Amino acid sequence: MTDRKTHSIALVSSFVLLSSCASSVDSFGDAVSYEPAESTTTKNVILMVSDGIGFNGWLAADYYQGRAGEQSYQVVRPDGTVPLVYGMTHDALNLIDASGEIISDREDLPNAVGAVEQGYDPLTRWDRFEGAFPNDFAPVNAPYTAYTDSAAAGTALMTGRKTSNGRINMDWSGKERFRTIAQIAMDLDRSAGTVASVMASHATPASVIAHNVSRNNYAEIFNEMVSSELDVIMGAGHPYYDASGNAVEPEGDEAFQFIGGKETLAALTSDTGLNGFAFIDSRSDFEALASGAKVPERVVGIAQSNSTLQARREGLPSSDTPSGMAFNANVPDLATMSVGALNVLSQDNDGFFLMIEGGAVDWMGHANNMPRFIEEQVDFNLAIDAVISWVETNSSWDETLLIITADHETGSIWGEGTWTNSVGGPVALDATEDAIISARYDPTEDIFNEFRAVQDRGAGNIPGYQFATGNHSNELVPLWAIGAGSDAFAEFTRTDLKAAELWGEPYAWDGRIVDNTAVFSVMSLALLDDR
Ligand SMILES: [Zn+2]
């Protein structure tokens, strides 16, 4: 039995039972020696995270593409593999002071004596519109931070452990270090890497391998990443380019923080290099890597933008994009980076772990900028298509697990008419900050009508929507899982029927939900357990 692709789960378990005997006797009475059971753990694990998007935002981009329920990861694959779909909760721990009060003022952080969880409750969430988001109009210190940030969410996805906002793979007190799925994969002789459309040391890619009490210690985080055994570190954060493709003179040492500081960049680009990493930054370098032309053992790839690949571009010509502005031609797209990363990591015959983040969806959610939010999510969807195509060409769903999800929701996106605004109508009248804030949900002036999903206005058209806040929310996010080991999600489910009423139909989702810690559990079961 050398072809693992033909194993069914039942066949494998019976074979393992048989092979535990030194030998056996077949039905013809001849002594038969069985070879030791071949390892049937999952070879490759790929986690794709769209940062800051729930069901409504996901649907908005799918509707714009005209592909709701028809994306590559939402339909049965050519080999018959069926993608699984869930909702996912993602709450972080809230810190408490000595009297047991939740600390909502960041300045009180040194007074934290413990942490409590206030998770998503499918029964009470639908009682009150604001049940899943602190609204922008409440007194400053009143709302607790029931929503997670990307650091605590990334930590939960990568380690299965809840922590407080801001921490990267460390407990709420900042003392205990958590072991990540990338470390587990590398301890099992697999390679590992990370790709992001924002700065390479931003919270989500940081949570693949780094340990830090604060996500804001970018230079420390990046230096830990390049000192680790990760073979691929890709993202933006280039000090010599702005977000629109223009060369700039770096402003002080701060400009170098996202890639570890001036000295780290000097080492990476020196003749001897740093820790055996090839350093690439031009779009053509990324494209060559994706084409498989020139594949080094280890790569640090920093796209030529100081923040995001596309989301923050300015001053480019008008074009047929959702936002009406041409894309920055200086940088690769997420699909190109992802395939390049797969080409590097798959050189390890034992397999790999790869995290890919569409990082700027969240930034456009904060900005309540729906056209660019859609651009970012479409870029992420195209990256998923490229990854699926890579798996089906170079590997298979019998040996590869792909999980696609978000780390939290941003902006509290709802369908048009969910609430009636006293000012401005459902959508901001213009792009001024005043107009954007006025369009958000203000309970003292606005009237909540009913929960409405975003409305499909056809391919190429922006769906009907409203943004309730400029913050993260505790709203459910979708999760798809395809391939080897994905069945294990069934062990971790609860149910939210009301959510399925709103968003179930285009995705054939029945309301089953998992927590973000289950993502780590399923990935580690896949890597560790014989199936
Ligand atoms: Zn955010």
Side-chain angles (χ1 to χ4, degrees):
M1 294 187 60
T2 50
D3 183 8
R4 64 165 59 183
K5 293 177 186 181
T6 60
H7 293 183
S8 71
I9 289 169
L11 192 58
V12 169
S13 41
S14 61
F15 179 68
V16 171
L17 280 176
L18 276 174
S19 64
S20 64
C21 313
S23 66
S24 185
V25 175
D26 70 14
S27 53
F28 300 101
D30 300 322
V32 178
S33 293
Y34 287 91
E35 291 171 25
E38 181 194 343
S39 167
T40 54
T41 60
T42 300
K43 184 178 176 189
N44 310 312
V45 174
I46 306 167
L47 173 62
M48 299 188 70
V49 180
S50 183
D51 197 306
I53 181 167
F55 275 96
N56 278 318
W58 210 290
L59 273 171
D62 284 0
Y63 285 147
Y64 186 90
Q65 286 186 278
R67 294 180 61 81
E70 294 168 19
Q71 299 279 10
S72 56
Y73 53 95
Q74 296 165 359
V75 299
V76 180
R77 302 311 310 154
D79 72 349
T81 300
V82 180
L84 306 176
V85 55
Y86 294 97
M88 190 178 79
T89 57
H90 41 76
D91 48 280
L93 295 184
N94 291 304
L95 298 175
I96 54 169
D97 62 21
S99 59
E101 294 294 314
I102 287 168
I103 292 175
S104 53
D105 187 341
R106 291 262 126 193
E107 312 228 316
D108 285 344
L109 286 185
N111 298 324
V113 300
V116 295
E117 188 171 2
Q118 294 177 305
Y120 180 94
D121 183 345
L123 294 179
T124 59
R125 190 274 160 270
W126 305 105
D127 294 347
R128 190 172 144 257
F129 181 46
E130 296 153 88
F133 62 93
N135 85 62
D136 300 338
F137 303 92
V140 175
N141 286 333
Y144 54 79
T145 54
Y147 58 84
T148 188
D149 78 337
S150 293
T155 297
L157 292 168
M158 305 300 167
T159 72
R161 303 284 299 271
K162 296 284 190 183
T163 190
S164 55
N165 286 348
R167 306 281 194 233
I168 301 285
N169 296 323
M170 301 198 66
D171 76 325
W172 65 267
S173 71
K175 294 189 186 98
E176 190 192 343
R177 294 160 64 92
F178 300 154
R179 189 161 173 248
T180 71
I181 189 68
Q183 287 176 293
I184 292 170
M186 293 188 292
D187 288 348
L188 293 166
D189 291 330
R190 289 163 171 87
S191 58
T194 168
V195 174
S197 63
V198 294
M199 296 84 93
S201 52
H202 212 247
T204 307
S207 66
V208 170
I209 198 70
H211 299 82
N212 207 294
V213 292
S214 172
R215 59 181 289 175
N216 296 327
N217 295 329
Y218 294 107
E220 283 180 16
I221 286 168
F222 189 83
N223 287 325
E224 186 176 349
M225 293 171 82
V226 290
S227 304
S228 76
E229 289 175 30
L230 291 185
D231 287 327
V232 173
I233 301 166
M234 286 185 190
H238 202 300
Y240 288 95
Y241 293 87
D242 69 11
S244 312
N246 305 302
V248 292
E249 231 3 83
E251 282 180 37
D253 291 350
E254 283 250 302
F256 294 84
Q257 63 177 326
F258 301 119
I259 50 169
K262 254 182 189 165
E263 284 176 22
T264 302
L265 181 61
L268 277 167
T269 53
S270 70
D271 290 344
T272 48
L274 177 64
N275 301 335
F277 283 113
F279 180 81
I280 62 172
D281 65 353
S282 72
R283 177 172 167 170
S284 58
D285 285 344
F286 282 100
E287 286 170 351
L289 192 60
S291 74
K294 206 171 62 177
V295 184
E297 279 179 34
R298 312 187 81 193
V299 177
V300 169
I302 304 299
Q304 294 175 345
S305 161
N306 60 9
S307 60
T308 70
L309 295 180
Q310 298 292 349
R312 289 233 166 132
R313 70 192 189 283
E314 294 172 339
L316 293 165
S318 59
S319 177
D320 184 22
T321 61
S323 69
M325 186 185 287
F327 287 117
N328 174 8
N330 233 27
V331 293
D333 58 13
L334 191 62
T336 302
M337 294 169 83
S338 302
V339 173
L342 289 165
N343 286 342
V344 176
L345 295 177
S346 61
Q347 296 175 108
D348 187 329
N349 292 327
D350 296 313
F352 59 83
F353 167 77
L354 173 61
M355 194 290 297
I356 299 166
E357 185 204 25
V361 177
D362 168 71
W363 298 30
M364 295 300 101
H366 283 292
N368 293 177
N369 185 333
M370 182 55 82
R372 290 209 175 183
F373 179 96
I374 288 174
E375 285 176 1
E376 291 299 317
Q377 178 66 7
V378 170
D379 185 56
F380 182 73
N381 275 330
L382 296 176
I384 301 172
D385 290 344
V387 167
I388 285 179
S389 164
W390 186 94
V391 170
E392 292 178 350
T393 306
N394 301 284
S395 173
S396 77
W397 300 117
D398 291 319
E399 61 171 30
T400 297
L401 169 63
L402 171 62
I403 299 172
I404 299 152
T405 190
D407 57 350
H408 53 76
E409 201 268 355
T410 303
S412 285
I413 297 172
W414 285 98
E416 190 174 310
T418 295
W419 68 95
T420 302
N421 257 308
S422 63
V423 284
V427 180
L429 293 177
D430 54 54
T432 63
E433 205 180 338
D434 278 355
I436 288 168
I437 291 171
S438 295
R440 293 175 186 161
Y441 178 68
D442 181 343
T444 64
E445 295 178 344
D446 303 341
I447 299 160
F448 172 70
N449 299 318
E450 60 175 349
F451 290 100
R452 289 186 188 168
V454 292
Q455 292 98 353
D456 188 1
R457 305 247 157 104
N461 298 314
I462 303 291
Y465 73 96
Q466 294 179 273
F467 278 100
T469 80
N471 283 318
H472 296 186
S473 81
N474 218 6
E475 228 63 83
L476 292 178
V477 301
L479 178 149
W480 285 268
I482 313 176
S486 58
D487 292 355
F489 272 111
E491 296 171 27
F492 301 96
T493 57
R494 296 183 289 147
T495 308
D496 189 335
L497 291 177
K498 170 70 182 170
E501 265 176 47
L502 280 164
W503 304 306
E505 195 264 308
Y507 297 144
W509 172 51
D510 62 6
R512 279 180 299 163
I513 59 176
V514 296
D515 187 57
N516 57 1
T517 52
V519 172
F520 169 80
S521 301
V522 169
M523 293 191 297
S524 56
L525 282 171
L527 289 176
L528 293 164
D529 269 22
D530 277 352
R531 282 178 286 128

